[in-house]
Amino acid sequence: MTVMTSAAQLLSAHRIVVKIGSALIADGETGHIRGPWLETMIEDVVRFFARGQQVIIVTSGAVAAGSYHFNDSDSPLKNEERKAAAAIGQVRLMLAFERSLKRFGFGLGQLLLTGEDLRNRHRRINMWSTVRRILQVGALPVINENDTTATTETCVGDNDQLAAHVAELLQADILILLSNIDGLFTEDPHNNPSARLITKVQRITPRIEAMATHSHSRHSSGGMLTKLMAARITMNAGCNMIIAKGTRSYPLSAIENGGPSTWFVPSTSDRADCDICADNVSQA
């Protein structure tokens, strides 16, 4: 996919959902919010708003932001500690977003969801109505899973899939998953430096699934496998999805300017394109 095509798709998108990974927004050891990075992210969002586009954020990081209250950093948090950390960290996250948005005259609207909210028709309608009104008054909708009350039966599981369901429900044109990796590689690039970046995927086949690996982050529940699960949801809904590295400043501008990424493009009927086109495989 060329730089011009990437830019054109983002420019033409009316509604964009952006998911922020936990490691991008909060330091997993100290719980500190990465303020300077968030400032550049918000500048990107404001620029999109100025073009008449709608942006909805799905953010992780509440547990990481609240984990500094618990001293044992060598072992995973217990369930009750994780819920408490999420409650504390969610406040810190929203304060950071509010401070950044206030500089540009924008407000903030928070939605905390569970799987029940996504499965229940009336709750889905209420969610969409709320998001629409938040956007209409010049505020940014920021969504996270309600980790403090979610149970095994009601949780979504990870924010990659939450973001995909939100994109599906809101009929978004593009879902952007900002992570700590450039996209989908033929192998884990941390283990094999010669792994190649896949720049375009039109079908998720067993060959594609074999490239995914789980995340080993203490606070993150995602990984490439959950991103492929998110891609299935969005592609079935006719929505494009992008995986891109979000650690750089102005992460959305980087994508728009042709930075490394993997685009998941819903196939149109009768197309016989392969799941990985040879001319869309580049060296990492």
Side-chain angles (χ1 to χ4, degrees):
M1 182 169 289
T2 66
V3 174
M4 287 301 295
T5 302
S6 301
Q9 289 210 25
L10 282 177
L11 282 168
S12 64
H14 172 61
R15 186 171 299 128
I16 303 167
V17 175
V18 180
K19 183 261 181 177
I20 301 173
S22 179
L24 301 180
I25 197 166
D27 187 299
E29 300 303 321
T30 66
H32 293 157
I33 303 297
R34 302 185 192 277
W37 177 88
L38 182 59
E39 291 283 337
T40 70
M41 172 69 194
I42 294 301
E43 285 189 47
D44 272 347
V45 170
V46 169
R47 184 169 53 82
F48 279 39
F49 278 152
R51 296 195 306 225
Q53 296 173 289
Q54 296 180 349
V55 180
I56 297 94
I57 298 292
V58 176
T59 184
S60 301
V63 174
S67 64
Y68 71 100
H69 283 277
F70 304 92
N71 296 323
D72 186 4
S73 60
D74 295 327
S75 60
L77 296 178
K78 298 176 182 177
N79 185 52
E80 64 273 17
E81 292 175 335
R82 187 177 181 84
K83 290 182 179 297
I88 295 168
Q90 186 65 28
V91 176
R92 301 188 73 204
L93 279 178
M94 293 305 99
L95 286 173
F97 270 97
E98 185 180 46
R99 282 193 297 268
S100 295
L101 286 162
K102 190 174 182 180
R103 292 180 52 232
F104 299 96
F106 283 87
L108 169 71
Q110 173 187 256
L111 292 87
L112 295 177
L113 306 177
T114 66
E116 288 183 340
D117 298 315
L118 298 172
R119 290 187 288 268
N120 182 280
R121 180 175 178 273
H122 295 293
R123 293 187 186 186
R124 286 167 63 91
I125 293 172
N126 287 340
M127 174 200 157
W128 173 219
S129 298
T130 300
V131 168
R132 185 170 63 243
R133 290 299 296 164
I134 291 171
L135 290 167
Q136 286 174 348
V137 300
L140 174 68
V142 178
I143 300 171
N144 197 357
E145 183 163 13
N146 193 344
D147 291 320
T148 61
T149 62
T151 64
T152 303
E153 294 75 24
T154 64
C155 71
V156 179
D158 63 85
N159 274 0
D160 291 329
Q161 291 184 81
L162 173 61
H165 284 299
V166 168
E168 175 190 32
L169 173 60
L170 301 182
Q171 297 181 313
D173 300 295
I174 298 176
L175 167 62
I176 301 175
L177 301 183
L178 294 178
S179 185
N180 58 358
I181 192 169
D182 286 326
L184 174 67
F185 285 79
T186 53
E187 298 178 60
D188 187 340
H190 298 104
N191 298 331
N192 183 0
S194 64
R196 293 175 296 165
L197 176 66
I198 306 302
T199 59
K200 184 179 179 181
V201 176
Q202 288 184 273
R203 288 193 298 274
I204 300 175
T205 64
R207 183 185 176 193
I208 293 291
E209 291 175 337
M211 299 175 186
T213 56
H214 286 285
S215 169
H216 300 291
S217 170
R218 177 175 177 242
H219 301 293
S220 171
S221 59
M224 193 53 65
L225 185 59
T226 63
K227 289 172 176 54
L228 292 188
M229 294 169 72
R232 284 188 185 278
I233 296 168
T234 54
M235 293 172 78
N236 287 340
C239 174
N240 288 270
M241 193 186 92
I242 305 168
I243 302 174
K245 193 170 188 176
T247 53
R248 57 180 64 88
S249 297
Y250 302 99
L252 302 184
S253 294
I255 298 170
E256 199 170 42
N257 293 330
S261 63
T262 299
W263 286 67
F264 291 81
V265 183
S267 297
T268 57
S269 58
D270 330 77
R271 290 193 65 170
D273 303 65
C274 60
D275 58 324
I276 308 175
C277 301
D279 58 346
N280 288 314
V281 177
S282 62
Q283 290 290 338

